[in-house]
Amino acid sequence: MNGIIEFRGPILTAPDQERHGLWSVNGALTFTRPTEAPDQVLDGWVIPGLVDAHCHIGLGPGGDVSAEVAGQQAEQDRNAGTLLVRDAGAVHDTRWIQRHPGLPRIIRAGRHIARTRRYLRGFAVEVEPEDLMEAVRKQSRAGDGWVKLVGDWIDRDAGDLAASFPARTVKDAVQAAHDEGARVTAHCFAEDTLDDMLDAGIDCIEHGTGLLPRHLPRFTEQGVPIVPTLINIATFPDIAAQAEGKFPRYAAHMRALWERRAERILEAHEAGVAIYAGTDAGSVIRHGRIVDELEALHAAGLSAVAALDAGSWASRTWLGGDAIAEGASADVLVCAGDPRKDLSTLRSIRHIVLRGDRVGGGEGGPGGPH
């Protein structure tokens, strides 16, 4: 399809930058008016497509899913305005999604790497410490520049959260990934796990519920971002209730982490730690909930602008994705109002444009009005 689309309305090229006059010509954005008349004119506030920086397309509650289900998951995310996904571990090989013109762009991380029998069954490559480096090398080559470690999980013998791997082993594994040209992110719930990951030179932390004041200077100095997944953390009380009978210490720990979730993220944000939006969709969290996560970040104390930035301009820059710039891919949303002032406007997106084609939105269905 492609052709020429004229975007008529404020163009938000950054959280604090507004322009007028933008077109998509054969899938690429330009600020120069084409000589030919547009095929479509779309009115509204224009922002880059949203980013889900922690998503599991191709993963379900039991592990792997069919290609059909993975495609449906991708469509749910796209229809919610997510046009760029950083996969945070999946069993399903989603390279085919990267080749599909109507589905979100995806940056894959291969499979989770976890300690043997210390994670959700059917999700991860499970290894012992002596095999961690080789597993990291393999997943580095299987993904698109990211590797996902499970940094901690319940240790049933200890009855509480505990690190998955020895600190020295983690450090060697992170270096192995860096040698392969990949960055490493890690699932971390507990407090002490963060020390090990920072010591190892980790590139990103998922969840980060154990964040303490002592960690903040290191996060900022080392430039390590956090993807909090607040709508996932909201499930902690249910997890604690299920574990109470057999693992009361673990249950109490999970409740304590949940109780301070908002306070810790706000402290990190105010200290200058980069915060990016991610839903953790694909296991217990359904797909298409990126706006819920942005609103959760706002409820935690981030301004609406900062929350939107965490799921749009800033996260695109971090991941190396296009935003709104000359020659960039036309992956944008057209909103009825200014989402910097009211995030709820993202719940009724007028037009979703991906690779220069209108693929969804509230007015006229795919293809849009002419």
Side-chain angles (χ1 to χ4, degrees), residues 154-174:
I154 185 172
D155 182 328
R156 288 169 175 79
D157 293 332
D160 199 0
L161 291 167
S164 302
F165 300 100
R168 178 72 251 181
T169 305
V170 172
K171 188 170 185 176
D172 291 342
V174 170

Side-chain angles (χ1 to χ4, degrees), residues 74-88:
E75 287 180 358
Q76 285 178 290
D77 290 320
R78 181 203 67 196
N79 292 343
T82 296
L83 302 185
L84 176 62
V85 167
R86 185 191 61 150
D87 163 56

Side-chain angles (χ1 to χ4, degrees), residues 93-110:
D93 185 345
T94 51
R95 286 180 178 89
W96 68 271
I97 290 176
Q98 294 176 315
R99 299 189 294 269
H100 195 297
L103 296 180
R105 299 180 187 277
I106 184 169
I107 300 170
R108 299 174 302 107

Side-chain angles (χ1 to χ4, degrees), residues 303-370:
S303 68
V305 173
L308 182 59
D309 196 24
S312 185
W313 303 279
S315 46
R316 282 182 170 273
T317 298
W318 173 55
L319 293 172
D322 288 338
I324 297 178
E326 186 70 31
S329 178
D331 299 352
V332 300
L333 309 178
V334 182
C335 304
D338 187 346
R340 298 172 301 178
K341 297 179 179 178
D342 183 1
L343 293 172
S344 69
T345 193
L346 295 169
R347 296 194 177 277
S348 54
I349 299 167
R350 280 185 174 175
H351 309 286
I352 300 171
V353 178
L354 176 61
R355 300 177 178 90
D357 287 326
R358 188 174 182 281
V359 296
E363 295 188 4
H370 289 260

Side-chain angles (χ1 to χ4, degrees), residues 179-203:
D179 291 344
E180 295 285 343
R183 290 184 281 181
V184 185
T185 193
H187 160 111
C188 296
F189 285 165
E191 296 83 354
D192 293 344
T193 314
L194 294 176
D195 297 292
D196 292 350
M197 294 298 166
L198 292 166
D199 289 344
I202 199 75
D203 300 290

